Amino acid sequence: MKKRKITIFDTTLRDGEQSPGASLTPLEKLEIARQLARMNVDVIEAGFPAASPGEVEAIQQISRKVRKPVICALARTVKRDIDAAREALKYAKKKRIHVFLATSQIHREHKLKKSKEEIYDIAVEHIRYAKKFCQDIEFSPEDASRTEREFLAEVVRRAIRAGATTVNIPDTVGYAIPEEFGELIRFLIRKNPELGKKVTLSVHCHNDLGLAVANSLAAICAGANQVECTINGIGERAGNASMEELVMAIDTRADLMDSTTAIRTEEIIKSSRLVSYLTGMVVQPNKAIVGRNAFSHESGIHQDGVLKMRQTYEIIDPKKVGLSGSEIILGKHSGRHAFKERLKKLGHDVSAKELDRAFEKFKILADKKKYVFDQDIARLVEDEVTDVPPVWELAFLDIRSTTGEVPSARIRLKHKNRTAEASSEGDGPVDACFRAIEKITGVKARLMDYAIKSVTSGEDAQGEVNVKIEVGTKQVKGRGSSTDIIEASVKAFLHAINKVAAHLDKPIAETPNV
Ligand code: KIV
Ligand code: ZN
């Protein structure tokens, strides 16, 4: 069956820009328009020229530089608005004037103070006026979904007769629910059979009930052949139908939808990021298609599934929207399979034993850190694959450090199958730890050098401590990392001590304090 082509009418630069705080400079608008053209949108609603001279200038710039899509400008049923639209579009290769007039009772009575008869006349008069300058005229009966049906159908009939080539049905306040909205579209087609055929039938859904995309899809199924939408779903109040969600729903459920779009879906992420960056409107992490988490998997079960067969937990190939692939977020929910795969990806070919130990450490770290980044893992493995045997291992650490009191540390170390504990005071908490370690191991070390740096990202970044100690005539370096800087210091000190211990002739088990 041949699929119906759905016209994608993007209004990011008009309704989207009406989002509080989202205003854009003419240059920014041009940049977004260029990206929309790259995505292959059919119509770009570039702005509302009556709003300001700057808006006219921005639409003119876009009209000059963006030649493939139709460039559209919005106008109220006011002659000077239509004149401003005409001026704004004068350089466009393909142009459309979009005229709107509210039709619902509440708008007629309270906002416009006009009768139904007056509404007919105003609509017809201004469509005819706009038609003098532009063949492609879109008419929107604003608040259509709350308009009396028979009256709405008659407004639409007269608009078509006056020259509208597209009739757009807005759910201006996001009030409709999908079944009802689909039924409204069917009703309008029954009353005006040229809709969806000779005259484009468009819908424009707002998201006040979170149903903008669902309503738009219901309208498509009912016969609409244009949808108005915005990148990231930005727009008045709760926003408009999100383009990326609409396009990917049509694409992903091609088995059910008899329609298709011309959008180059690989440009979706780029467009989303550009719009977010230029408008300053942050995309929520769990936003469908473009949210940071949309293709991330955290649970061990999901990670295992995705690694075995992506489609187990992913309905869209991330590459299709312009991402490099799915993201396996390593954290406390991750399993061995995901950890091993990440090691492989990072180029670490570890033995089964090394994997066991690194995984154990990873789990301990994941309990402390929200996200375990690749640098964290590299650090874990480096620590694991080091050729220094863990003669002494940290089992327990307790620091007392209060202003005005001498800092003290209680440390327990593991050696073979036994543990030993010691407490000590020091000039500072780190010094107290080193002294306690000396007591346990019996190794007298002089600290020559001590340096801290942050090695991973995030608020809970790991710190790395590097030490140089002198034991007898030997100078040895040690390195340790942890989210806790004192623990990192202890690990660094032990790393150095272990290097010394590993080369002692005397078996370490004979050390007195064990
Ligand atoms: O939401 C709305 O009704 C509009 C019209 C101008 C189409 O944005
Ligand atoms: Zn709107």
Side-chain angles (χ1 to χ4, degrees):
M1 182 184 56
K2 183 150 167 18
K3 301 220 173 229
R4 279 186 313 134
K5 153 94 193 296
I6 305 298
T7 299
I8 297 294
F9 176 112
D10 181 276
T11 183
T12 305
L13 298 176
R14 199 278 296 169
D15 216 324
E17 207 207 1
Q18 285 173 220
S19 313
S23 69
L24 298 159
T25 66
L27 258 179
E28 290 169 338
K29 283 190 124 182
L30 177 62
E31 206 177 330
I32 292 176
R34 283 190 155 131
Q35 178 58 23
L36 293 172
R38 247 174 254 131
M39 282 184 100
N40 215 20
V41 308
D42 302 286
V43 186
I44 296 176
E45 186 164 53
F48 179 41
S52 71
E55 187 78 341
V56 173
E57 191 203 316
I59 300 170
Q60 285 182 348
Q61 285 252 30
I62 293 171
S63 299
R64 276 201 180 99
K65 305 258 165 66
V66 181
R67 310 295 280 173
K68 196 166 168 233
V70 173
I71 308 299
C72 175
L74 183 70
R76 290 167 295 185
T77 44
V78 173
K79 291 210 170 113
R80 95 186 109 79
D81 274 29
I82 295 171
D83 291 340
R86 173 191 177 193
E87 176 65 17
L89 293 171
K90 69 179 177 194
Y91 303 113
K93 189 168 171 208
K94 297 185 237 168
K95 61 181 96 170
R96 174 179 298 183
I97 297 181
H98 179 186
V99 180
F100 76 100
L101 174 65
T103 50
S104 65
Q105 187 179 3
I106 189 165
H107 280 240
R108 285 192 321 262
E109 289 177 5
H110 298 276
K111 186 179 87 175
L112 301 174
K113 307 207 186 316
K114 300 282 180 208
S115 67
K116 285 183 177 173
E117 280 306 318
E118 285 173 305
I119 296 290
Y120 290 142
D121 293 346
I122 297 168
V124 167
E125 183 192 344
H126 290 87
I127 291 169
R128 284 197 184 134
Y129 183 69
K131 193 81 181 177
K132 286 193 202 159
F133 317 118
C134 183
Q135 276 315 298
D136 188 347
I137 300 293
E138 174 165 329
F139 174 71
S140 290
E142 191 190 10
D143 205 16
S145 55
R146 292 194 299 172
T147 300
E148 303 91 316
R149 282 190 168 197
E150 291 295 340
F151 172 61
L152 179 64
E154 184 56 24
V155 174
V156 168
R157 195 179 71 79
R158 292 184 193 211
I160 296 170
R161 273 213 322 233
T165 42
T166 296
V167 170
N168 177 46
I169 303 301
D171 181 25
T172 302
V173 288
Y175 183 68
I177 61 165
E179 213 184 326
E180 174 196 29
F181 198 60
E183 187 40 49
L184 173 63
I185 297 304
R186 276 189 203 95
F187 166 79
L188 290 172
I189 295 174
R190 276 200 301 279
K191 290 285 186 176
N192 296 284
E194 59 273 70
L195 286 175
K197 298 189 179 83
K198 225 174 83 205
V199 175
T200 301
L201 177 52
S202 172
V203 291
H204 175 110
C205 297
H206 276 269
N207 206 29
D208 300 65
L209 292 175
L211 293 171
V213 170
N215 285 333
S216 306
L217 290 174
I220 291 173
C221 293
N225 57 348
Q226 172 177 293
V227 279
E228 302 200 352
C229 47
T230 59
I231 300 290
N232 298 338
I234 63 171
E236 280 280 353
R237 306 180 310 280
N240 289 63
S242 129
M243 190 217 284
E244 59 278 7
E245 293 177 24
L246 273 172
V247 167
M248 291 317 293
I250 293 171
D251 182 272
T252 307
R253 296 313 308 270
D255 56 327
L256 281 186
M257 307 288 294
D258 69 340
S259 43
T260 181
T261 74
I263 294 298
R264 294 188 55 224
T265 60
E266 301 75 23
E267 294 290 329
I268 283 179
I269 294 292
K270 214 162 128 201
S271 307
S272 164
R273 291 185 181 159
L274 180 68
V275 168
S276 173
Y277 174 68
L278 292 180
T279 59
M281 294 189 70
V282 178
V283 175
Q284 75 196 57
N286 59 328
K287 161 89 176 60
I289 319 295
V290 293
R292 194 182 63 221
N293 295 348
F295 295 94
S296 299
H297 306 274
E298 166 104 22
S299 118
I301 296 167
H302 289 210
Q303 292 183 344
D304 183 53
V306 168
L307 288 167
K308 285 175 175 152
M309 172 72 162
R310 189 187 56 74
Q311 288 87 337
T312 50
Y313 288 100
E314 249 177 25
I315 58 167
I316 298 168
D317 183 345
K319 294 194 181 82
K320 211 165 185 179
V321 296
L323 288 167
S324 53
S326 336
E327 212 186 347
I328 300 288
I329 301 283
L330 291 185
K332 69 174 181 183
H333 303 295
S334 303
R336 235 182 134 71
H337 188 176
F339 181 67
K340 190 174 167 200
E341 283 302 311
R342 184 63 58 89
L343 286 184
K344 241 204 249 161
K345 204 169 132 203
L346 293 172
H348 294 292
D349 195 9
V350 291
S351 69
K353 221 163 147 204
E354 284 162 351
L355 174 69
D356 282 349
R357 290 178 58 90
F359 185 62
E360 208 177 292
K361 287 187 179 175
F362 159 75
K363 280 288 186 183
I364 293 168
L365 182 64
D367 260 340
K368 293 186 200 162
K369 282 195 92 194
K370 207 155 155 192
Y371 300 116
V372 179
F373 296 104
D374 286 353
Q375 305 116 299
D376 291 310
I377 293 174
R379 199 58 44 178
L380 279 181
V381 178
E382 279 161 21
D383 285 355
E384 195 45 51
V385 182
T386 174
D387 55 359
V388 181
V391 183
W392 300 96
E393 278 183 281
L394 180 66
F396 171 81
L397 169 64
D398 181 32
I399 306 289
R400 296 282 144 89
S401 180
T402 323
T403 317
E405 281 180 26
V406 182
S408 68
R410 187 157 66 91
I411 287 190
R412 194 178 308 136
L413 298 182
K414 206 163 89 191
H415 173 63
K416 296 195 171 159
N417 291 328
R418 287 175 286 168
T419 58
E421 193 173 306
S423 297
S424 180
E425 293 183 337
D427 295 339
V430 172
D431 185 49
C433 289
F434 290 178
R435 288 183 192 204
I437 292 171
E438 280 178 350
K439 277 192 192 171
I440 300 171
T441 60
V443 179
K444 288 273 164 273
R446 199 160 70 86
L447 187 64
M448 311 285 292
D449 212 354
Y450 175 89
I452 309 176
K453 65 176 180 193
S454 159
V455 281
T456 64
S457 334
E459 266 172 31
D460 48 5
Q462 285 206 79
E464 182 182 276
V465 171
N466 284 278
V467 296
K468 198 197 291 177
I469 59 171
E470 193 176 63
V471 181
T473 54
K474 267 191 188 165
Q475 287 198 353
V476 203
K477 284 185 190 160
R479 189 187 65 220
S481 47
S482 168
T483 51
D484 179 315
I485 214 63
I486 309 275
E487 189 177 309
S489 307
V490 168
K491 283 182 174 172
F493 196 65
L494 278 176
H495 186 225
I497 296 248
N498 282 337
K499 282 184 183 170
V500 177
H503 295 105
L504 283 178
D505 297 335
K506 197 164 52 150
I508 207 83
E510 290 169 22
T511 330
N513 295 318
V514 176

